[in-house]
Amino acid sequence: MSTVPNRIALFIDGANLYATARTVGFDIDYKSLLKEFQGRGTLLRAFYYTAVVEDQEFSSIRPLVDWLHYNGYTVVTKPTKEFVDASGRRKVKGNMDIELAVDAMELSGKIDEMILFSGDGDFRPLVEAVQRRGVRVTVVSTIATQPPMIADELRRQADVFTDLADLQANVGRDPTERRAVRERDEARAQNAQRPASPRPRDEADEFEG
């Protein structure tokens, strides 16, 4: 007797995942990440959310965004917003929570499991709402740091919590490749007129999520 494949969708909070992976001590290999979850069922969508700085000649996030577009991900972007904090320092903010929540609710009737890559406690009501529609929710973040990168209320709400540190062997990038990519991108930053590389680059630490 055949069983119906588990229908899965990934929802990746790009800035949050980047910060979590960096804190744990490795870079994400997005090709391997996609392969990892394709092996767990029928992967309907893999959403990646990030804000981008539009007026920069060179941005380290753009090569990653381009690569993801062509390699199986649905990339959702919007321009960052600049503001000055209370101490007078210029900051750049790019929050994608609403976009992620809308997509998750729209797709919830077509999936069996939602994989959320974020530790942001603001997603707890979304997780609860999706669960009420019969969808199982797995949250990927880490408690291997002090303080943990995941909000306690989000971890409690999830059906399954997966520590990103436990996925390193399957979705982590080879450190030698990480160094080579970084050196190449630094060279390109010095000559922004050259075209950006199509190879993946990790989420830029250039804005607040």
Side-chain angles (χ1 to χ4, degrees):
M1 181 176 178
S2 63
T3 58
V4 177
N6 189 36
R7 298 172 300 173
I8 302 170
L10 309 184
F11 295 85
I12 301 172
D13 177 351
N16 193 284
L17 177 59
Y18 170 76
T20 302
R22 188 178 64 170
T23 302
V24 173
F26 70 94
D27 288 341
I28 300 293
D29 181 329
Y30 286 96
K31 183 177 182 180
S32 296
L33 187 149
L34 203 62
K35 183 178 180 181
E36 169 71 17
F37 288 92
Q38 285 171 335
R40 300 190 182 191
T42 300
L43 184 60
L44 298 185
R45 288 286 186 278
F47 291 97
Y48 184 95
Y49 301 85
T50 185
V52 295
V53 182
E54 289 195 322
D55 57 354
Q56 283 189 350
E57 289 186 353
F58 178 85
S59 171
S60 57
I61 186 61
R62 291 189 181 278
L64 172 62
V65 168
D66 290 341
W67 186 91
L68 293 173
H69 266 302
Y70 287 106
N71 287 276
Y73 288 84
T74 300
V75 181
V76 182
T77 65
K78 72 177 180 183
T80 56
K81 293 182 179 180
E82 293 187 15
F83 68 98
V84 178
D85 66 12
S87 62
R89 291 179 297 181
R90 173 184 169 274
K91 298 230 175 171
V92 182
K93 188 171 183 64
N95 192 305
M96 301 292 293
D97 291 5
I98 295 298
E99 289 80 1
L100 190 156
V102 170
D103 288 339
M105 291 303 295
E106 286 184 344
L107 202 59
S108 62
K110 299 180 175 64
I111 60 176
D112 303 305
E113 184 175 7
M114 170 184 177
I115 313 290
L116 174 63
F117 289 81
S118 182
D120 190 343
D122 290 344
F123 286 125
R124 191 208 63 77
L126 168 65
V127 170
E128 184 180 21
V130 170
Q131 287 170 330
R132 286 198 300 266
R133 296 191 172 200
V135 178
R136 185 171 61 257
V137 179
T138 294
V139 173
V140 181
S141 186
T142 189
I143 56 172
T145 58
Q146 288 297 331
M149 292 293 288
I150 184 171
D152 186 62
E153 62 269 25
L154 180 62
R155 185 184 174 196
R156 288 173 180 269
Q157 187 66 49
D159 295 294
V160 177
F161 167 70
T162 298
D163 200 301
L164 185 64
D166 295 334
L167 294 175
Q168 180 173 357
N170 295 336
V171 306
R173 183 186 299 168
D174 186 324
T176 58
E177 180 186 358
R178 172 184 180 183
R179 184 166 53 252
V181 170
R182 183 161 297 161
E183 290 173 352
R184 185 200 60 218
D185 284 350
E186 287 174 354
R188 284 202 171 123
Q190 297 173 6
N191 183 5
Q193 301 304 315
R194 294 176 61 184
S197 168
R199 287 179 60 88
R201 180 76 164 92
D202 285 301
E203 178 78 26
D205 185 26
E206 58 189 9
F207 61 83
E208 294 185 350

